[in-house]
Amino acid sequence: MNVNADSFVPSGASHQRQSQSQPSDAASCDSAKPKNRKQGPPRPPRKAAPKKESSFAEDTASPTLLSAEPSSSVAKDKKKKVSLNHLLGFSFTEREVPPPVTLRKQKSNYQPFNKERFVNANFRFLVRGLGDYQINLADPDKIIDWEAVEQVLVTATPPSCPICLSPPVAARITKCGHTFCFPCVLNYFALRENNRKAWHKCPICWDAIYLCDLKNVKTLIPTAVLSKTSQGIREGDTLQMVFLLRPGTSPLTLPVSDHWPLPESTYRRHGKSLIPWHTTPNAMLFARILLAGPDYLESMYTEDSRELKEALLDAIEWGVTDLTHIEDARKKVEEKRIESQLRNTSIMRLTVEALSVWEGDSVGKASASSSLTDYYFFQAQDGQHIYLHPLDTRVLKHAYSDYAFFPLHLEVVATGVQETTMTEDLRKRCKHLSHLPLGCDVTFVEVDLKSLVPNETLEYFERELSARTKKHRDRITREKKDQRMAQAKQKKHGQEICGIDPSLVASDPFFQMNQPMSFEENEAQLAQAIAHSKQASERGPKTVWGTPAVALEEEGSSTTWSDQITVTVKSKKTKNKRLK
């Protein structure tokens, strides 16, 4: 744009201005001419300049501006400069905004780890007999009130105390699910810097723990896996299973027997949500919530007192002088015993009524008929969450035609193991396990059914069994491939960091001699070392570390080189000071 251009003037005003300025110009011209020159004929008028084609600027101008100002009205000065002020209102057309794209949110089953939910899902509880636990029976995901818990039942291998690394004495479990010795955790609380704080960090997970939240814990050793090769169950292990029933009228699941299921008259009289007591048959292994009677609590505190007394005697025998934490543990156990005895008067009446429900009314009266709302399945005999695969249950159902003819006990060999966790999707697919809380560790076992069902039944399910076997084989192959790729990637990464050529490592005799031993070579070398240690122990006395003791030589008979050295110490001479 030319900044020296004149301002825009309408065409009418410009013509009028030119017409007004013509007489003055003519007068000025006449006055400038000499008077003696003759006037010639008048000069013909100038022709109008040809109309120029519209420029690109005029074509691209806004239509509103062009309609108001025709192209012929563009102001021009004497120097043929064109005013471009009409371009100041120029604007592009608005761009078309693409429609917003909404991405579909993928459903994710991920849930953040919650310690209370983990304890609620994987442990079982003995609670006080005076509480109301109907909401926990109706909703298994509802966390149990921790103040009402008297004892926690854990089906696992015997743990060790993380503080003293020994079997726990009067074991106590925290709200975060870690087990300690009662004296050890009391001593840990006594060593805190700020004694005014009622809580302390858990030694394992650093979660806040309180002394009032410590509960008695009982560990039930698993016995269902007979040929146990490692922790848990693996392919080839022999497993003992029992036949369980979860009736539609009750959330309780117990093995089928003369005491279970209860007759309909019992439900009508006592309610559908019956909570078993510790005396109920098979309830200590399979029930998630149990009511603790006075006699059971008394035996629990008696066992704690016995263990603490033995720990005190062992500490005195080992010469331990500080026994404060053991004495404090014994005092707290006695306080809990007295507190439970004060509640026994009202609980005794409930216990008598419970015995009449579970033993008197139901013995020999269990109904063998099944309804559409009842769920039958096989579970490990010791109460672990190990269940028979649903396809194997269908095969047995086809072979026996009715659940009433199912065997109550099975001893099978595991051919496949699938470990998973209870989720909403799994709860919908396996409705017979809907009584388990979310987050519960579940294991499905595929077994060999050739000795339990006829060949015709296996041929009927041949396609599904073959597909399951192929899927299991493919999964194992995929896992092995992923493991090999991860090992190769880790090995390559280590070589890149070290900068060593693999060919040089393979040809180096040092690395050839120091190859890692196989399992058989390691076991043989360990057996040889044990045999050598036994032979050495028979030769002479040992120290407390297991090394051969060195016999002391008699005094005066030592001939070592150090005894021949004589050290003479010279005394410094004192200089006499001059007297002033």
Side-chain angles (χ1 to χ4, degrees):
M1 179 183 295
N2 188 4
V3 297
N4 298 322
D6 297 336
S7 60
F8 175 75
V9 180
S11 58
S14 62
H15 287 296
Q16 184 179 1
R17 186 181 301 173
Q18 291 178 4
S19 61
Q20 292 176 1
S21 62
Q22 283 178 2
S24 61
D25 293 340
S28 61
C29 290
D30 295 340
S31 61
K33 291 180 180 180
K35 297 180 180 180
N36 55 358
R37 181 176 295 183
K38 295 181 180 181
Q39 296 181 357
R43 185 178 297 178
R46 293 181 179 180
K47 296 181 180 181
K51 186 177 180 180
K52 297 181 180 180
E53 296 180 357
S54 59
S55 61
F56 174 77
E58 295 175 354
D59 295 341
T60 56
S62 60
T64 57
L65 202 59
L66 292 177
S67 61
E69 301 173 4
S71 59
S72 60
S73 63
V74 177
K76 299 179 182 180
D77 58 358
K78 296 180 180 179
K79 296 182 179 181
K80 307 298 183 179
K81 296 180 180 180
V82 181
S83 176
L84 299 179
N85 290 341
H86 61 280
L87 296 179
L88 294 177
F90 173 77
S91 62
F92 288 104
T93 58
E94 296 183 359
R95 293 184 178 181
E96 296 182 359
V97 180
V101 180
T102 56
L103 299 177
R104 294 182 178 180
K105 295 182 179 181
Q106 298 180 356
K107 294 182 179 180
S108 177
N109 293 328
Y110 170 75
Q111 294 180 354
F113 180 75
N114 191 335
K115 298 175 184 178
E116 293 184 356
R117 181 178 296 177
F118 174 82
V119 173
N120 180 73
N122 295 279
F123 297 158
R124 296 181 293 114
F125 308 95
L126 275 156
V127 295
R128 297 175 184 174
L130 298 177
D132 185 11
Y133 312 101
Q134 301 300 327
I135 186 173
N136 300 106
L137 293 177
D139 184 9
D141 299 329
K142 183 68 176 179
I143 298 177
I144 298 178
D145 185 13
W146 192 255
E147 295 183 359
V149 176
E150 294 287 350
Q151 189 181 52
V152 180
L153 300 177
V154 181
T155 304
T157 55
S160 59
C161 177
I163 299 178
C164 64
L165 304 180
S166 301
V169 177
R172 291 294 185 271
I173 190 171
T174 60
K175 204 171 182 179
C176 55
H178 297 113
T179 305
F180 302 92
C181 295
F182 198 15
C184 290
V185 73
L186 290 179
N187 189 26
Y188 176 69
F189 267 85
L191 296 177
R192 63 181 183 269
E193 297 179 357
N194 189 1
N195 294 329
R196 291 179 297 177
K197 292 193 303 183
W199 61 275
H200 207 302
K201 292 182 179 179
C202 176
I204 304 299
C205 64
W206 284 33
D207 195 9
I209 57 176
Y210 296 82
L211 283 177
C212 58
D213 290 340
L214 298 177
K215 301 297 181 180
N216 189 289
V217 59
K218 182 177 182 180
T219 303
L220 304 178
I221 301 175
T223 58
V225 183
L226 299 181
S227 56
K228 191 171 184 179
T229 56
S230 61
Q231 187 176 3
I233 183 172
R234 296 292 180 267
E235 296 181 12
D237 293 346
T238 303
L239 178 65
Q240 291 182 344
M241 311 188 80
V242 293
F243 190 49
L244 277 79
L245 165 65
R246 184 171 70 86
T249 56
S250 174
L252 184 61
T253 303
L254 292 175
V256 178
S257 62
D258 296 337
H259 306 277
W260 184 258
L262 297 176
E264 291 293 336
S265 59
T266 305
Y267 289 113
R268 288 194 297 267
R269 185 167 62 255
H270 299 279
K272 295 184 177 182
S273 299
L274 290 175
I275 303 178
W277 287 76
H278 70 281
T279 55
T280 304
N282 300 319
M284 290 291 291
L285 295 176
F286 297 96
R288 181 170 162 266
I289 302 176
L290 299 94
L291 300 178
D295 53 346
Y296 184 85
L297 296 178
E298 184 68 22
S299 63
M300 181 181 69
Y301 294 126
T302 302
E303 181 67 18
D304 289 344
S305 300
R306 184 188 63 80
E307 293 181 2
L308 291 173
K309 184 177 180 180
E310 293 179 357
L312 182 62
L313 296 178
D314 292 342
I316 295 174
E317 184 179 355
W318 282 94
V320 179
T321 57
D322 188 8
L323 304 175
T324 307
H325 50 284
I326 301 180
E327 294 293 343
D328 292 343
R330 297 182 66 182
K331 292 180 181 178
K332 290 184 177 298
V333 169
E334 290 298 326
E335 292 176 0
K336 284 288 185 179
R337 184 203 299 271
I338 296 174
E339 182 181 352
S340 64
Q341 289 177 355
L342 297 177
R343 299 193 301 263
N344 287 348
T345 54
S346 57
I347 297 178
M348 285 296 297
R349 179 178 54 83
L350 297 176
T351 307
V352 173
E353 294 180 359
L355 292 177
S356 63
V357 171
W358 293 97
E359 296 181 4
D361 296 346
S362 60
V363 171
K365 298 181 181 180
S367 175
S369 60
S370 61
S371 62
L372 297 177
T373 58
D374 296 343
Y375 296 99
Y376 294 86
F377 54 92
F378 282 95
Q379 187 179 351
Q381 188 176 3
D382 55 2
Q384 297 184 77
H385 293 292
I386 303 177
Y387 301 92
L388 188 65
H389 197 276
L391 180 56
D392 295 333
T393 306
R394 288 174 52 199
V395 173
L396 293 175
K397 179 67 166 55
H398 184 272
Y400 291 97
S401 70
D402 192 19
Y403 291 114
F405 305 107
F406 268 45
L408 300 182
H409 297 272
L410 287 180
E411 186 171 334
V412 292
V413 178
T415 58
V417 179
Q418 298 180 11
E419 297 179 352
T420 182
T421 304
M422 178 58 63
T423 58
E424 291 287 355
D425 185 28
L426 183 61
R427 183 179 286 179
K428 292 178 181 179
R429 290 189 287 109
C430 303
K431 294 184 179 180
H432 62 283
L433 300 180
S434 59
H435 64 284
L436 299 180
L438 294 177
C440 180
D441 297 332
V442 180
T443 303
F444 292 101
V445 180
E446 304 170 4
V447 300
D448 187 8
L449 298 175
K450 294 181 180 179
S451 60
L452 299 175
V453 297
N455 295 331
E456 293 79 6
T457 304
L458 296 177
E459 293 176 357
Y460 182 80
F461 291 93
E462 182 179 3
R463 180 182 300 177
E464 298 182 18
L465 293 174
S466 301
R468 186 182 69 177
T469 305
K470 183 179 181 301
K471 184 178 179 181
H472 178 64
R473 193 185 305 113
D474 294 343
R475 180 172 57 84
I476 294 177
T477 304
R478 185 171 59 255
E479 291 177 356
K480 290 182 179 180
K481 182 180 178 180
D482 295 342
Q483 185 178 4
R484 289 195 302 267
M485 292 178 61
Q487 291 177 356
K489 185 177 180 180
Q490 184 179 5
K491 184 178 180 181
K492 182 179 179 181
H493 181 65
Q495 292 174 355
E496 291 177 355
I497 293 176
C498 298
I500 302 175
D501 190 4
S503 60
L504 297 178
V505 176
S507 60
D508 195 332
F510 174 78
F511 291 101
Q512 293 178 359
M513 294 173 57
N514 294 276
Q515 292 292 334
M517 294 184 299
S518 61
F519 179 76
E520 293 77 8
E521 294 176 352
N522 191 11
E523 291 293 331
Q525 187 173 358
L526 180 61
Q528 184 179 1
I530 293 175
H532 180 72
S533 177
K534 290 182 179 180
Q535 293 177 2
S537 61
E538 298 175 355
R539 296 175 185 175
K542 295 284 185 179
T543 62
V544 293
W545 295 281
T547 58
V550 179
L552 299 177
E553 297 182 355
E554 297 179 359
E555 297 182 359
S557 61
S558 176
T559 58
T560 59
W561 62 272
S562 60
D563 296 336
Q564 305 300 329
I565 299 175
T566 304
V567 180
T568 303
V569 181
K570 295 182 179 181
S571 59
K572 295 183 180 180
K573 295 181 180 181
T574 57
K575 296 181 180 181
N576 297 327
K577 297 182 179 180
R578 293 181 181 181
L579 299 175
K580 293 182 180 180

